[in-house]
Amino acid sequence: MAGIEGRVIVVSGAGGGLGREYALLLAQEGARVVVNDLGGAKDGSGAGTAMADQVVAEIRAAGGEAVASYDSVATAEGSARIIATALEAYGAVHGVVNNAGILRDASFAKITEQEWDAVLQVHLYGGFHLTRAAWPHLREQGFGRIVMATSTSGLYGNFGQCNYGSAKMGLVGLMNTLALEGARYDVRVNAVAPMAATRMTEDVAPQDVLESLPPAFVSPVVAQLLSEECQDTGAIYVVGGGLVQRHALFQNKGVRFAEPPSVAEVAQRWAEIASLDEIAPGVNPVG
Ligand code: NAI
């Protein structure tokens, strides 16, 4: 099998924005797509079937294969039903794009526990539940491709998005471990930090910036990460407006002390310890 042709790929949050774009392109490339969307508002309130149905109709009208799923990724039961939809419709699941998301922006000084929880539930718990429901099937068939939607708000921080940034970095942590645990089953797990004009970003950037960020610049990279040929795992790509960049964590060359240093000795070497002039790849020293 080449590329993603014939693959069964579940895209969460595919009723609009980036997820819709992913679903349309994946179907165009020959994948059979589960278009999952809860169909609610940007803040996660409400629900409905129209968003997912609309994208499925578009795919079918273009001659592609797709089926709708209206469950929430935020619970184990909802995610199990989404994967069951793939199995019932197409008898398999090969790929998962953990794309569903909501926003409840608030500064750390003002954020409520409810705003924190709601965002973690959809992004981080959603990624956990949906991936966990697919995982045994991927392992058993010895093939799987997973894409996490992360964000520069997590990688670099963003004012007013402590909940969202934490959830998005949580997905990177999940990816790092799943990349290790999935490797011998040819289950590859990567992350994309997209930048695109959608309802999520419509009021956070000026119009001319948004016009330079059509979601169509992101979807081909997601398709590549879902392909059989792509052997990468545990990598993060920042993608938007025509630019595709790999993002990575590094450590500097470091300072080694033969004996436990005094506080003064640490202070004395601090400029060298903190310097990023000489870098080495960041690896887990104990794992
Ligand atoms: P969007 O709001 O257009 O799409 C998110 C979709 O997820 C919506 O269709 C929504 O109905 C669905 N959804 C929400 N909660 C759900 C749940 N519990 N279960 C199933 N579906 C649910 O936003 P956009 O921009 O397309 O975002 C897609 C992903 O990309 C999100 O994870 C977002 O955090 C991420 N992202 C987007 C960026 C951008 O520039 N647009 C920047 C960085 C990350």
Side-chain angles (χ1 to χ4, degrees), residues 75-146:
T75 65
E77 300 73 35
S79 281
R81 280 195 295 270
I82 297 167
I83 298 301
T85 301
L87 298 173
E88 281 156 23
Y90 304 121
V93 57
H94 304 109
V96 176
V97 185
N98 286 301
N99 168 78
I102 62 166
L103 286 183
R104 298 271 175 100
D105 289 1
S107 68
F108 189 62
K110 294 194 181 138
I111 194 166
T112 64
E113 212 175 318
Q114 207 273 333
E115 288 165 333
W116 172 270
D117 282 346
V119 167
L120 272 278
Q121 287 297 341
V122 176
H123 293 270
L124 183 56
Y125 280 74
F128 164 67
H129 290 309
L130 191 61
T131 306
R132 196 162 69 131
W135 196 254
H137 305 284
L138 307 182
R139 272 176 51 133
E140 204 168 301
Q141 74 200 358
F143 179 82
R145 297 287 182 268
I146 295 166

Side-chain angles (χ1 to χ4, degrees), residues 10-220:
V10 174
V11 183
S12 70
L18 282 157
R20 170 181 172 274
E21 200 73 28
Y22 301 159
L24 292 174
L25 181 66
L26 297 174
Q28 196 182 310
E29 293 286 313
R32 293 170 287 169
V33 183
V34 175
V35 175
N36 161 254
D37 206 289
L38 182 61
K42 186 164 71 174
D43 67 357
S45 59
T49 56
M51 290 176 75
D53 282 345
Q54 167 68 29
V55 176
V56 168
E58 280 182 71
I59 290 173
R60 290 184 181 161
E65 283 189 71
V67 63
S69 147
Y70 319 113
D71 285 293
S72 171
V73 293
T75 65
E77 300 73 35
S79 281
R81 280 195 295 270
I82 297 167
I83 298 301
T85 301
L87 298 173
E88 281 156 23
Y90 304 121
V93 57
H94 304 109
V96 176
V97 185
N98 286 301
N99 168 78
I102 62 166
L103 286 183
R104 298 271 175 100
D105 289 1
S107 68
F108 189 62
K110 294 194 181 138
I111 194 166
T112 64
E113 212 175 318
Q114 207 273 333
E115 288 165 333
W116 172 270
D117 282 346
V119 167
L120 272 278
Q121 287 297 341
V122 176
H123 293 270
L124 183 56
Y125 280 74
F128 164 67
H129 290 309
L130 191 61
T131 306
R132 196 162 69 131
W135 196 254
H137 305 284
L138 307 182
R139 272 176 51 133
E140 204 168 301
Q141 74 200 358
F143 179 82
R145 297 287 182 268
I146 295 166
V147 177
M148 306 291 188
T150 185
S151 169
T152 53
S153 296
L155 301 173
Y156 299 110
N158 195 20
F159 198 95
Q161 293 197 316
C162 64
N163 49 358
Y164 180 76
S166 300
K168 290 309 205 186
M169 272 316 257
L171 287 169
V172 171
L174 179 62
M175 171 194 79
N176 286 335
T177 289
L178 296 188
L180 297 174
E181 294 186 7
R184 70 189 170 112
Y185 305 101
D186 194 16
V187 177
R188 320 255 160 201
V189 191
N190 294 285
V192 166
M195 286 181 287
T198 66
R199 72 177 189 181
M200 198 180 264
T201 49
E202 65 191 356
D203 49 11
V204 299
Q207 196 53 36
D208 57 323
V209 173
L210 291 173
E211 276 165 20
S212 70
L213 298 171
F217 273 125
V218 184
S219 43

